[in-house]
Each structure stands twice: as structure tokens, then as C-alpha cells.
């Protein structure tokens, strides 16, 4: 079913909206959650919560890209659940990813909290990257894919991916410094 | 803090998120020389293949069918192979692409399957119900209402009756009424085929057996594959309150026409081939089949001028059991069918293409008429080709061993232009300017034209209606909104004479021999005025004797929708009237010719499409039928 029709089902409060969304994007959302939570049960619960949140969000939301919209909800829920359920028990892999991303912050200073400013910053930076570097970067830090997964899917060596990530992080750091909005 | 910072990744734009979706593999960048080489090789191969695909010339000759020379159906295969092959418009794919003209092939599936072979004795035998030229009542059983073209050859219609009951086909429902004057009532209503609503309902019609006990409905509907299917349903109507189905026969294809004569039913259907799935190794893809069996090659007639991959299938059925007693398939599309006492005439039109002196392409419409005898099986008697195209079944008539045909003849000059799909106004004017009308008489022993009157109408006129009556032929031609009506004397074929009315306003789409030398024309006076006019022959010509007009009115050109009563000089038909100053009117009118004038006896509101309305006069009452509507008026 087309995204527009699924959205229309949500808007008309038709229960089949969830069934259709699950049918089309259930696996995608599950994969997003699983990479963060590494738990089947938690991931499934996350996906179920996604439909619940989507039901509440539409209307009034009418997303242009339903897949990304749902994926975003799932990711947020997964991150919330990760922080809540695993206090003391950490996903070492996710911790590594977060640590890497933290390296982008100039001099370990406190990042600004203004979401609008940050959004422009981040997307402005991504816009300036070449496609391959951008895809690697987003797969690593949004989809939380491993270096091996990225390398395999893109036909690259793991070292190539690692080098690309390293260079992109440095560029991001320089970019943030140049923008000079750090507190 | 780190987690808080990490959550800012949520701010990434959706387009980047979608771009990086893990299941989408980004294009790998080949780094190794081997990979580069492989890619380069693939690219070269692709280029070669692409060039081959683009520039390989299309075949300009039809595929050979010699591989099937030993096949019993080789003549059919050879014909179909040539028929279904289309000469490419372009030289190759490149030529086609740059001209941006995709080709659509119309697909049609054809198969003839018969189901439900003859059941047990079902009773209800069709007999010849007509006696003489005019409709007349039998002492019992059915009384014909339809004004059949040939006396003794019954044609299906939406209405039939007995002395007691009237049977009317309203859409897909059979309605039965008592004949009791103002006390008449609906006795029963039977939805057929589950009350199917489909776009073939306008072709449904029915017969009534001579003893009035059986109604046979010729129905048509789309099957589960959306292919047309003909369904012949025989109903026991002995007790109209309790109608049961006796027999059923199903044939894939389109219903063309049917007749009932001498206790037999002639059924004509159309069987269309699907060029995309046609495979000469599989008979079911190119041959009509009955009960799963391919039609015998000897029953397939291949006209010389076959011009389409479709068959006209003719079957003879026992009216009582619907058992098949004979069949034939005629390769080509038949637009019109005429049935005489001894023969079936199938007519199809093709273009005779020639080059004139100026080098322009001239297309003349030609009609090939094939004659089949049907009394003892089907036998091809011969065929003839005449100039022009016929209007309808009324344009043909067999009389004393001579087939008379009236055609509209035309020649279209097509000038090649840079814009090959554009037909200029000049071309259209030329095409219209060469229209005319012709009459041909063909000897049915030799199938040669033994007499003719060619191009007898004023230039640019076309045939609107024809009626033959013994030695006389009536023809109405017209251009725009004016016509002459011609009376032909065919008693001496060596000296055919004719008279006409001269150019008069309007034209007649149907001509009816109304008795006593009078001719009734049903048509239009102008684009929005209905006209019924009586013509008669005078010493000098033909004159319009009297007329009846109805302004802002529309009528159906379906001849069967007219009630023709020569005995009582009545004409009934459905009309719809839209007036700026009047209330819209949809109903039925009954006209009477009293020898001097056409008088309106009735004008009654009646619902439904004009083409489906029916009426019949019985013992002082006019019974009228429309969609979900029924009226009785004392006349």
C-alpha cells in the first residue's frame, strides 16, 4: 500500500492503518530498534510502541516520508528504553558509537541545546559531504550500523570505512568550531 | 552528556536518513584493477548489445508458416500468420524511439467453449410463427411483435407475446405481464444471471417458442477473465408464475445476431484472437473450439479478403435442446448479417488501396459478402465483392435468386504529410466529397454482378436507410440534414428505373413499407426535431405525403424499438424531449396514419432509454414497456 494511503488510514482513524504500516515498515523499525537495544523482546516492544505513537501523531502530522517518520519514532523509543532498561548494563557496541560521535564535540565542551540551531548545523554539514562519506556517517551514527556491516553493504573494506568515519568526524569537529556557537 | 549529544543525530534530515538506509547498497567504488577491467568489459558489451538493439532492422516480411505445412489447419495458419503480422512503421528501435511513437497492440482472447450439452427432453419447440408478409396471430401460442426483415425468419427482440402474456426483457430481468387491458399486471420478474449488471446488457434479447411455452434469452456477460461470453438460456414459461430454467449453453465470444426458422436457431458470434498469446503449436490459441474440441478445418472458411484476426462463428442449434447441429467459422470480422430463407450472408468491409496518377494513396471501401447455405449443415455457396460499405442488415435482400445490395461508396485520398498522424482538413473534405450510393444485383448462381446503378445519389451523400419490398427498393441518402428518398423499380434488371423526392429537409434512418404503396420514413427533420413521414410514388417522382414532427426530441435508431403495425397503420416508439420552454418529457408516442395524416394517438410518459422501450397494440389497448415502467392506455 502506498504511504499516502497508509497516512490516510491514520487520519481517518482506521484500525487497519497499523496493520498496513506494520506490514510495510515493521521489519525496518525492528532493525532500527535492534541495533540499539540488541534485544528481541525489547525491540518488538519498541515497534509496538511505535504504532501507538504514530497513531497519536497522525493526525495532525502528515509526514512527507513515512518510513523516516516511523523510523525516527522507533529510534527515539529505543534510545529511551536503552537508557531506562539498561542502567548499569550497557550495550558496549552502542557505547562505542556514542563515544565516537562525542569526539566531534570541540574540546569536549557542552553542546548547545537549541534544537533548531543544531538541526541547521548538522544538516548543513551533511549537505557539504560527498555522498559516500555521508552515507557512511549516517549509517554509523543514525542507524548504528557496525563498520563491518557498512563495509559489506557498500562494497568497501573495513579500513576504508573506518578511515572515512575518522575523517568525517574531524571535519564535523572543525565545522562546529568554525560555526562558533559553542557555549 | 554523551547520550544527550548522541541524540542530536535525531536532527538529521529525513532525506539523508532515507539515502543511507542500510538495505540500499551504495555504489561500490572499484579500487582493484580487476574490478575496473570487469566493469569496462561489461560496459563495452552493454554498448554493443545496445547498438544491436537500437539499430538491428525490423523484419519487413511476414514470418513463414511453412513449418506447419503438414498441419491440417495450414491454410488457416498461413492466413493468420499474414493477418496478425504488422509491417513495422519504423526501420528499427532507434527510429522508433526518436519518433516517440510507442506501439499498442490490442489484445483480445478468443476461445469458443460450449458447456452444458443437450439435456433431457425439454419441450417447447420453436415453429415458424409468421404467416405472410405481415405479422399475424396464431390460434394459440406466440404472436410475433417484432417487425422481422424476412417473413418466417424470426429475430430476437426485447419483447414477445402470446395471447395471454407479454414477456419483456428489462435489462437483465425478464418481466411477465398479463394481457387484460387496464387490469393488466406484472405476474413475475426473473433476474437472469444473478441480476448481473454489465455493459453487455444492451445486447440481450429473447425469443418465444411458437407454443408460447419457452422463452430463450440471448445474454452476454464478461467472465472472470473479463472476456465476453454468450449465454443462451431456455426458460419454461408455461406457468409464468413459476418460471424454471430448462437449458443453458455458454459460448466465449461476442454475440452478433441470431435467427429462428423452421424449428432451428441460427446463432452468430464473434471470436477474437489474442495476437500476443497466439501459438500455432496450440490449437486453442488460434481456433474456435466447441466443447473443448477445435473446429474442423473443413468448417473454417477463409475469405480472400480476410482483414482481421477474428472469426464469425455460425452455429445451428436445436431450439428445444440447444444441441449443436452444425457450425462454421468465417475468418474475418462480420459487421452485418442478413438471413434469408435459405442463406446466411456475412458482410465485412475492407479498404482497396491504390495509387492515383498524382501518386496519392486512394482508399476505396469495399464489401465482401459471403453466402452460406444453412438448411443442411453449412455450405459456402460463393462470395461477391462490391464497392462501398453497407449500412445494416436491411441493405441486403435476396429475391428470386438475386441478391440486392445497397452501399455507400466512398474514396478517401490520403496525402502523405510530414506529420504522419495528422489528417488535414483538406484530406477530410476530399474524403467526404467522394461519397455516393450504389445498388448492386448479384446472381446467386454465378455470384456475378448482373445489374447495378452506381453513384445515383447527389455527390457527397451517404446511405441512411434501405428497405426492399419485392421488386421495389427504397433508399434514403443524405448529407448533413437533407435527403432525397429513392424508389427503385427492380422488376426488370436490364432496365432499372428510379424516382426520387428531390432534396428535402431531414433524412430517414429507417424506411418501412407501410402497405398500399406508402413508405414510412422514421428520422429527423433537423438536428433536434424528430420526424415521421409518409412517402408515396407519383407519376413523376416521389413525394412526401404527410409528416409528424416533434421538436427538441430524440429517438432511438434501433429498428427493433419501433412498433410497426401495418394492419392498423400504427407506429410506436420511445422519445425524449428537451425544451427550453417546456418540461422535459421522456416517454412513448403512438402515431396512426389514417390515409391522410399521421396523427398522434398517444403521448405517454415512460421511463428508460428509448432503445429499450417497447410497445404493442392488442385489442384496443396499447401496452408500453420501459425501464422499471409499464403503462397501458386505451386507444
Amino acid at each position: 500500500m502506498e504511504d499516502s494511503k497508509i497516512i490516510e488510514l491514520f487520519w481517518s482513524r482506521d484500525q487497519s492503518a497499523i496493520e498496513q504500516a506494520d506490514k510495510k515498515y515493521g521489519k525496518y523499525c525492528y532493525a532500527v530498534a535492534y541495533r540499539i537495544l540488541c534485544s528481541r523482546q525489547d525491540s518488538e516492544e519498541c515497534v509496538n510502541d511505535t504504532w501507538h505513537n504514530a497513531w497519536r501523531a497522525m493526525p495532525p502530522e502528515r509526514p512527507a516520508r513515512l518510513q523516516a517518520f516511523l523510523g525516527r519514532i522507533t529510534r527515539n523509543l529505543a534510545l529511551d528504553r536503552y537508557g531506562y532498561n539498561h542502567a548499569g548494563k550497557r550495550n558496549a557496541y552502542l557505547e562505542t558509537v556514542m563515544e565516537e560521535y562525542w569526539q566531534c564535540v570541540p574540546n569536549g565542551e557542552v553542546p548547545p541545546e537549541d534544537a533548531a540551531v543544531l538541526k541547521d548545523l548538522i544538516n548543513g554539514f551533511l549537505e557539504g559531504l560527498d555522498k559516500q562519506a555521508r552515507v557512511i556517517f549516517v549509517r554509523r551514527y543514525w542507524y548504528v550500523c557496525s563498520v563491518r556491516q557498512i563495509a559489506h553493504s557498500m562494497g568497501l573494506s573495513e579500513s576504508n570505512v573506518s578511515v572515512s568515519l575518522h575523517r568525517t568526524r574531524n571535519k564535523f569537529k572543525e565545522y562546529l568550531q568554525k560555526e562558533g556557537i559553542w557555549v | 552528556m554523551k547520550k544527550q549529544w548522541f541524540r542530536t543525530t535525531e536532527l538529521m534530515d529525513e532525506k539523508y536518513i532515507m539515502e543511507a538506509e542500510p538495505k540500499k547498497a551504495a555504489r561500490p567504488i572499484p579500487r582493484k584493477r580487476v574490478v575496473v577491467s570487469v566493469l569496462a568489459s561489461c560496459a563495452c558489451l552493454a554498448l554493443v548489445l545496445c547498438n544491436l538493439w537500437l539499430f538491428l532492422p525490423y523484419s519487413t516480411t511476414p514470418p513463414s508458416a511453412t513449418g506447419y505445412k503438414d498441419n491440417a489447419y495450414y491454410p488457416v495458419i498461413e492466413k493468420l500468420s499474414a493477418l496478425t503480422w504488422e509491417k513495422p512503421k519504423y526501420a528499427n528501435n532507434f527510429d522508433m524511439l526518436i519518433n516517440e511513437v510507442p506501439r499498442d497492440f490490442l489484445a483480445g482472447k478468443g476461445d469458443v467453449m460450449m458447456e452444458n450439452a443437450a439435456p433431457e427432453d425439454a419441450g417447447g419447440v420453436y415453429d415458424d410463427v409468421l404467416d405472410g408478409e405481415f405479422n399475424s396471430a396464431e390460434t394459440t401460442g406466440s404472436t410475433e411483435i417484432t417487425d422481422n426483415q424476412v417473413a418466417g425468419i424470426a429475430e430476437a427482440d426485447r419483447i414477445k407475446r402470446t395471447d395471454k402474456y407479454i414477456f419483456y426483457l428489462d435489462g437483465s430481468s425478464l418481466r411477465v405481464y398479463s394481457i387484460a387491458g387496464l387490469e393488466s399486471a406484472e405476474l413475475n420478474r426473473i433476474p437472469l444471471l444473478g441480476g448481473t449488471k454489465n455493459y453487455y446488457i444492451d445486447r440481450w434479447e429473447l425469443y418465444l417458442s411458437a407454443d408460447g411455452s419457452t422463452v430463450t434469452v440471448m445474454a452476454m456477460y464478461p467472465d472472470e477473465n473479463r472476456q465476453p461470453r454468450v449465454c443462451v438460456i431456455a426458460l419454461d414459461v408455461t406457468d409464468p408464475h413459476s418460471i424454471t430454467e430448462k437449458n443453458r449453453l455458454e459460448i466465449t465470444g461476442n454475440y452478433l445476431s441470431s435467427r429462428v426458422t423452421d424449428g432451428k436457431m441460427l446463432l452468430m458470434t464473434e471470436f477474437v484472437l489474442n495476437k500476443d498469446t497466439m501459438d500455432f503449436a496450440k490449437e486453442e490459441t488460434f481456433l474456435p473450439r466447441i466443447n473443448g474440441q477445435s473446429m474442423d478445418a473443413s468448417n473454417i472458411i477463409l475469405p480472400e479478403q480476410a482483414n482481421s484476426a477474428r472469426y464469425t462463428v455460425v452455429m445451428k442449434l436445436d431450439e428445444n435442446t440447444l444441441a449443436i447441429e452444425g457450425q462454421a467459422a468465417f475468418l474475418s470480422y462480420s459487421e452485418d448479417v442478413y438471413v434469408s430463407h435459405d442463406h446466411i450472408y456475412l458482410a465485412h468491409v475492407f479498404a482497396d488501396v491504390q495509387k492515383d496518377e498524382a501518386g496519392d494513396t486512394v482508399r476505396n471501401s469495399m464489401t465482401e459478402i459471403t453466402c452460406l447455405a444453412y438448411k443442411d449443415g453449412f455450405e459456402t455457396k460463393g462470395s461477391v465483392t462490391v464497392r462501398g460499405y453497407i449500412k445494416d442488415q436491411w441493405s441486403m435482400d435476396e429475391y428470386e435468386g438475386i441478391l440486392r445490395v445497397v452501399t455507400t461508396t466512398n474514396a478517401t485520398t490520403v496525402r502523405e504529410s510530414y506529420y504522419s498522424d495528422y489528417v488535414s482538413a483538406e484530406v477530410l473534405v476530399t474524403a467526404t466529397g467522394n461519397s455516393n450510393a450504389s445498388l448492386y444485383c448479384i446472381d446467386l448462381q454465378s455470384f456475378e454482378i448482373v445489374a447495378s446503378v452506381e453513384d445515383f445519389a447527389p455527390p457527397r451523400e451517404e446511405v441512411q436507410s434501405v428497405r426492399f419490398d419485392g421488386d421495389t427498393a427504397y433508399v434514403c441518402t443524405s448529407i448533413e440534414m437533407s435527403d432525397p428518398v429513392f424508389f427503385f423499380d427492380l422488376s426488370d434488371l436490364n432496365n432499372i428505373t428510379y424516382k426520387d423526392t428531390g432534396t428535402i429537409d431531414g433524412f430517414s434512418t429507417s424506411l418501412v413499407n407501410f402497405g398500399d404503396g406508402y413508405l414510412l420514413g422514421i428520422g429527423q427533420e433537423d438536428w433536434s426535431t424528430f420526424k415521421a413521414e409518409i412517402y408515396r410514388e407519383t407519376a413523376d417522382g416521389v413525394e412526401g405525403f404527410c409528416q409528424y414532427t416533434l421538436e427538441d426530441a430524440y429517438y432511438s435508431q434501433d429498428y427493433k424499438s419501433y412498433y410497426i403495425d401495418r394492419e392498423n397503420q400504427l407506429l410506436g416508439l420511445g422519445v425524449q424531449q428537451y425544451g427550453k420552454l417546456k418540461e422535459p418529457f421522456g416517454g412513448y408516442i403512438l402515431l396512426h396514419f389514417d390515409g391522410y395524416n399521421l396523427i398522434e394517438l398517444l403521448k405517454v410518459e415512460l421511463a428508460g432509454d428509448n432503445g429499450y422501450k417497447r410497445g404493442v397494440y392488442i385489442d384496443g389497448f396499447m401496452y408500453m414497456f420501459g425501464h422499471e415502467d409499464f403503462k397501458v392506455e386505451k386507444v
Side-chain angles (χ1 to χ4, degrees), chain A residues 72 75 99 123 127 139, chain B residues 2 10 13 16 24 29:
Chain A
R72 205 191 287 277
R75 190 172 184 272
E99 182 65 33
N123 290 299
E127 177 73 26
R139 282 191 181 177
Chain B
K2 288 180 187 174
E10 276 308 302
D13 198 286
Y16 301 130
K24 292 181 190 171
I29 300 172

Side-chain angles (χ1 to χ4, degrees), chain B residues 54-67:
Chain B
L54 280 174
F55 296 105
L56 204 63
Y58 294 147
S59 171
T60 55
T61 56
S64 170
T66 52

Side-chain angles (χ1 to χ4, degrees), chain B residues 33-71:
Chain B
R33 200 173 285 178
V34 172
V35 171
V36 171
S37 301
V38 168
L39 281 176
S41 303
C42 289
C44 287
L45 183 62
L47 192 64
V48 168
L49 291 174
C50 184
N51 277 319
L52 276 174
W53 180 79
L54 280 174
F55 296 105
L56 204 63
Y58 294 147
S59 171
T60 55
T61 56
S64 170
T66 52
Y68 299 96
K69 230 172 183 172
D70 296 329
N71 193 305

